[in-house]
Amino acid sequence: MEKVLFTDDLSSNGLVKVFDALGVTLKGNIAIKIHSGEKGNQNYLKPEYVEELIKHVNGTIVECNTAYEGARNTTDKHKELMKSHGWSNIFNIDILDEEGDIIIPIENGLHLSKNYVGSHIENYDSILVLSHFKGHPMGGFGGALKQLSIGFASSKGKAYIHCVGDENGQESDFFKVKQEDFIESMADAAKTIHEKFKGNIVYINVMSNMSVDCDCCYVAEDPCMADIGVLASTDPLAIDQACIDLVYNSKDPGKDHLIERIESRKGKIILDAAEKLNIGSREYELIKL
């Protein structure tokens, strides 16, 4: 049974506290995967909020370009957005697929045989996956597993996952695939990053500003339920399962809107798929700090 630490202290100091409580030392060159937030989005984790944690860990902020039109689909535009959102004003920034991608093979995947990841990932020894837990218009919800898959995939890799392994897939094809296959493909891709850095990877999920929409949405709905807290683990499946359970067990009536988004997009399939792929455990002990 995996340990998932929880605090309802959503302050900047609370992030540091829950990370330190894990007792894990990230070594070498450390990548910190965040979501930079699409232009116009109001719900993403702000750089000022995570500044204390990132400086405490002493890592580099990493991102990858998107596979759809917007302010983040090229490196130049993405860097400009990160500057306007304040990321590069405070931290060192690295767009992982600025110089293309590498292929990581997937053995016994449910749908995919490989994953296209930003080539700069080879420059890092450890990773802190810092995720904003919220809904998602395509995946149902976004947490650690989505960050591992879509988040680390290069622009090409994102399209490859969305199109369930179609090398020639384009944005116009994203909604043509079977939803269950897309969700399971995300789990396939997530496995590659978790295994590549196993023993040197930590997951933090922040359950605040929980909208049904992702931070990738130009216009996102406002949060539909009250903030819950911050979770940390070395197991991406356990931490996402814990977040889902906290939403479902909440007494906040606003949870119904978020649950509808999760279920209508068949989002919980990624938990089943991650378990099949032995990425982690759905059995966990929630330890309150």
Side-chain angles (χ1 to χ4, degrees), residues 128-129 144 148 194 201-205 231-236 239:
L128 169 58
V129 181
L148 281 176
H194 181 68
I201 189 164
V202 166
Y203 303 93
I204 293 180
N205 283 4
L231 293 82
S233 181
T234 57
D235 185 323
I239 197 173

Side-chain angles (χ1 to χ4, degrees), residues 156-173:
K156 177 180 179 179
K158 287 177 172 64
Y160 183 74
I161 296 167
H162 271 285
C163 296
V164 193
D166 181 354
E167 295 278 3
N168 299 310
Q170 303 294 324
E171 182 183 354
S172 59
D173 301 315

